[in-house]
Amino acid sequence: MNFKDCAELLKKNDGFLLLTHINPDGDTVGSAAALCSALRRAGKTAYVMENPGLTDKLRGYIAPFLALEGYAGAFTVAVDIAAQGLLTPGYAGGVDLCIDHHPSNTRYAASTLVCDDRSSCGELVLEVIKALRGSVTKSEATLLYMALATDNGCFRYSNTNSASFRAAAELLRLGADNAEINIRFFREASPARIRLEGLIYLSMSYYREGKIVVAEITQDMMREAGATEEDMDDIANLPGRAEGCALSVTIREQPDGTCRLSLRSTKEVNSSDICAVFGGGGHALAAGCTISGTPARAREMILDVINEVWK
């Protein structure tokens, strides 16, 4: 499916329910909110399903579009969701359309628009909105800039390419408030976040002469720092700052006895291939998965798989 086909499918339907992925980030939130706004401008009924993982920071951007209690929708759109297991917690139905940029997308939806050469889903939604409405509002442009910038680390990550800069330039021309997004997502940090970063740096472990760096974030560390989920933005990229690192692993202990792992890598190793062993996935240079057990056990298991996949 191309952008025009996607827009035509949206024009033919109504009663939209948009889904964001588990542990929502700026890309899934910004993309879903912008698309919801454009659908409403097209005279459609559209809402985004409530996601229990929304932080206060992200909720402020998507709040006007959240579904009222009891709203089920007639046409479901998954935004920035690579696999069915990553759908909004609590959603158990089918998916009519998926708009995504992950190469690991499993094609679980009835119709799929996937462009895995884009650094964010927001870039796809930008094109869909233009095909759907012929215009993009200033508020939609800001939401899409948030989607774009948060998924490529304000143009610092290796997934950034020429299309990323073209999209950014277009969004700024359309009125995106890049100053607001850059301050809120890339400059500000709470005292708790700063304390937590110190604990993370002190606890990092190194393997293969520093080419592999592992950071563990335990519940005890969170309590010591006074940190909450609000303080976790971009946390997975901290260990990769170590000089000489080719693959970083961030292990976050969860209250339910599982650990969430985020991998970031250079072109030497495919992060998605490693995470796929545990039912996860993502991009070649950035992927994630969940492992049951303690952080120490998760570290042991992921290192075993890394040694198998990356000889």
Side-chain angles (χ1 to χ4, degrees):
M1 176 175 285
N2 58 36
F3 299 122
K4 183 178 179 181
D5 294 335
C6 184
E8 289 301 318
L9 181 62
L10 294 173
K11 289 177 182 178
K12 293 176 183 177
N13 289 278
D14 203 352
F16 293 95
L17 178 66
L18 279 66
L19 305 178
T20 54
H21 60 64
I22 190 171
N23 306 318
D25 57 13
D27 193 14
T28 191
V29 167
S31 297
L35 181 57
C36 190
S37 173
L39 287 168
R40 290 181 180 182
R41 286 197 295 121
K44 307 290 186 179
T45 299
Y47 291 96
V48 180
M49 183 175 176
E50 174 69 52
N51 190 323
L54 282 170
T55 63
D56 288 343
K57 182 187 293 186
L58 290 172
R59 182 176 292 278
Y61 290 96
I62 204 169
F65 308 103
L66 291 175
L68 304 174
E69 186 175 353
Y71 179 80
F75 192 92
T76 303
V77 183
V79 185
D80 192 41
I81 306 176
Q84 199 157 13
L86 301 175
L87 295 173
T88 308
Y91 183 76
V95 176
D96 298 295
L97 170 65
C98 174
I99 302 174
D100 188 29
H101 70 124
H102 294 97
S104 60
N105 189 283
T106 60
R107 269 58 175 185
Y108 58 90
S111 298
T112 304
L113 170 63
V114 174
C115 297
D116 58 16
D117 60 341
R118 305 298 178 96
S119 65
S120 69
C121 188
E123 295 165 65
L124 280 65
V125 174
L126 171 61
E127 299 302 325
V128 171
I129 291 176
K130 289 193 296 184
L132 175 68
R133 294 294 300 141
S135 64
V136 178
T137 68
K138 288 184 178 181
S139 60
E140 290 165 3
T142 296
L143 289 166
L144 293 175
Y145 185 87
M146 177 179 74
L148 169 65
T150 54
D151 235 36
N152 61 38
C154 204
F155 312 97
R156 292 180 292 115
Y157 300 163
S158 54
N159 63 337
T160 303
N161 54 34
S162 58
S164 310
F165 289 110
R166 285 195 299 269
E170 182 172 4
L171 290 169
L172 293 180
R173 180 180 60 79
L174 292 168
D177 191 344
N178 63 317
E180 175 199 335
I181 298 302
N182 291 340
I183 290 171
R184 285 187 59 79
F185 288 92
F186 303 106
R187 186 188 301 176
E188 293 180 343
S190 69
R193 169 58 182 255
I194 294 171
R195 288 191 293 269
L196 182 61
E197 287 190 13
L199 295 173
I200 293 171
Y201 287 134
L202 287 172
S203 66
M204 290 193 316
S205 52
Y206 302 82
Y207 304 88
R208 293 198 194 178
E209 299 181 339
K211 296 195 76 174
I212 301 173
V213 182
V214 180
E216 297 175 26
I217 306 173
T218 66
Q219 290 293 300
D220 286 342
M221 290 167 65
M222 295 280 287
R223 283 188 287 269
E224 182 178 346
T228 67
E229 196 63 32
E230 297 286 332
D231 302 302
M232 295 290 108
D233 284 348
D234 202 35
I235 205 79
N237 291 289
L238 295 185
R241 297 183 63 188
E243 184 178 6
C245 175
L247 173 64
S248 69
V249 182
T250 304
I251 303 172
R252 291 184 54 195
E253 183 183 25
Q254 302 300 302
D256 64 359
T258 64
C259 289
R260 278 187 266 173
L261 282 71
S262 298
L263 276 63
R264 302 291 184 266
S265 62
T266 63
K267 293 180 180 180
E268 290 185 59
V269 56
N270 189 308
S271 292
S272 186
D273 287 348
I274 295 168
C275 290
V277 175
F278 300 100
H283 299 281
L285 306 182
C289 62
T290 299
I291 296 177
S292 296
T294 65
R297 177 58 176 157
R299 181 181 71 241
E300 179 184 352
M301 293 175 69
I302 197 72
L303 287 172
D304 284 345
V305 171
I306 290 171
N307 287 329
E308 285 297 319
V309 174
W310 186 25
K311 297 293 186 181

